């Protein structure tokens, strides 16, 4: 991960863009609507380990005015209770670091598909239409082939069909642009 983020590192725009699209795709799948759960968490950092609750998805821990609830992906996130009794999820850099650790493990792997099977669990296929008004994010369409199997596993049939159709449309538009540029050069 650091080689893509490091200042002064050899910059290959297409490789960096692809890495970032894959990173955002995995982050999306761990976030809302959370179609994947972390099965394996290998960090040696005890603080990150403390925020991972493994298989117990409905775990709640109370410490002072903070309640820790586990997300469907398996990480504990803090919720604050206000004076009015309203629970509000707070941003938690440690839980985010844990998610990034998992994503980094996958992206740094020599065999991404095999690592995905060891690291992620897919409870059931999800309809990602609930991810927003505009359907699937564009970076999902640009995700590398090594994430195809995971995407096909986590998506419901309708979302998988939508992804396939939109990818085909993007490829077609890309080919049209390429041929137009070639014609213009001639």
């Amino acid at each position: 991960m650091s080689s893509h983020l490091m200042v002064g590192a050899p910059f290959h725009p297409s490789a960096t863009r692809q890495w970032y699209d894959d990173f955002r795709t995995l982050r999306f799948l761990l976030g809302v609507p959370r179609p994947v759960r972390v099965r394996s968490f290998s960090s040696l950092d005890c603080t990150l380990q403390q925020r991972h609750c493994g298989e117990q998805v409905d775990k709640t821990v109370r410490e002072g005015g903070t309640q820790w609830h586990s997300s469907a992906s398996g990480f504990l996130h803090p919720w604050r209770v206000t004076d009015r009794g309203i629970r509000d999820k707070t941003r938690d850099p440690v839980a985010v670091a844990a998610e990034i650790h998992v994503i980094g493990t996958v992206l740094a792997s020599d065999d991404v598909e095999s690592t995905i099977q060891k690291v992620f669990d897919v409870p059931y296929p999800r309809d990602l239409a609930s991810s927003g008004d505009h359907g699937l994010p564009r970076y999902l369409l640009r995700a590398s082939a090594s994430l195809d199997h995971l995407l096909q596993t986590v998506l419901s049939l309708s979302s998988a069909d939508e992804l396939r159709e939109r990818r085909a449309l993007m490829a077609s538009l890309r080919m049209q642009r390429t041929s137009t540029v070639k014609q213009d050069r001639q």
Side-chain angles (χ1 to χ4, degrees), residues 18-44:
Q18 183 62 65
W19 175 88
Y20 191 57
D21 286 338
D22 290 350
F23 176 87
R24 290 176 70 192
T25 297
L26 292 172
R27 183 106 194 257
F28 174 80
L29 295 176
L30 278 172
V32 177
R34 295 188 180 99
V36 295
R37 183 182 301 144
V38 174
R39 174 186 301 171
S40 165
F41 187 67
S42 60
S43 175
L44 298 176

Side-chain angles (χ1 to χ4, degrees), residues 3-186:
S3 68
H4 287 279
L5 303 173
M6 210 166 53
V7 176
F11 181 67
H12 303 290
S14 61
T16 299
R17 195 174 312 120
Q18 183 62 65
W19 175 88
Y20 191 57
D21 286 338
D22 290 350
F23 176 87
R24 290 176 70 192
T25 297
L26 292 172
R27 183 106 194 257
F28 174 80
L29 295 176
L30 278 172
V32 177
R34 295 188 180 99
V36 295
R37 183 182 301 144
V38 174
R39 174 186 301 171
S40 165
F41 187 67
S42 60
S43 175
L44 298 176
D45 186 307
C46 59
T47 307
L48 298 187
Q49 280 287 354
Q50 204 173 15
R51 300 289 175 88
H52 181 259
C53 63
E55 294 298 313
Q56 298 174 358
V57 177
D58 56 351
K59 186 173 181 177
T60 301
V61 181
R62 293 170 198 255
E63 288 177 10
T66 305
Q67 292 181 347
W68 299 87
H69 293 275
S70 91
S71 68
S73 57
F75 293 99
L76 289 174
H77 290 271
W79 290 71
R80 304 246 182 258
V81 181
T82 64
D83 304 353
R84 299 181 186 143
I86 298 170
R87 287 190 309 152
D88 185 28
K89 184 176 181 179
T90 59
R91 295 180 72 161
D92 177 33
V94 178
V96 171
E99 290 177 4
I100 289 173
H101 173 81
V102 170
I103 294 168
T105 300
V106 171
L107 293 179
S109 168
D110 291 332
D111 185 358
V112 171
E113 272 195 54
S114 169
T115 305
I116 282 172
Q117 290 174 5
K118 289 177 191 162
V119 172
F120 294 129
D121 183 28
V122 180
Y124 51 88
R126 294 296 296 262
D127 182 5
L128 298 183
S130 62
S131 64
D133 335 349
H134 305 26
L136 301 174
R138 292 187 67 90
Y139 51 82
L140 277 181
L141 304 174
R142 297 186 303 259
S144 65
S146 59
L147 299 181
D148 277 350
H149 182 70
L150 177 65
L151 286 169
Q152 295 304 316
T153 306
V154 302
L155 298 176
S156 65
L157 286 175
S158 61
S159 292
D161 289 343
E162 180 187 346
L163 181 67
R164 206 173 300 111
E165 287 170 14
R166 289 186 57 192
R167 276 185 166 180
L169 179 63
M170 279 182 64
S172 164
L173 291 172
R174 215 175 293 123
M175 287 183 66
Q176 286 176 355
R177 269 187 259 144
T178 305
S179 66
T180 304
V181 169
K182 285 182 183 178
Q183 288 174 355
D184 290 346
R185 287 181 184 167
Q186 293 174 351

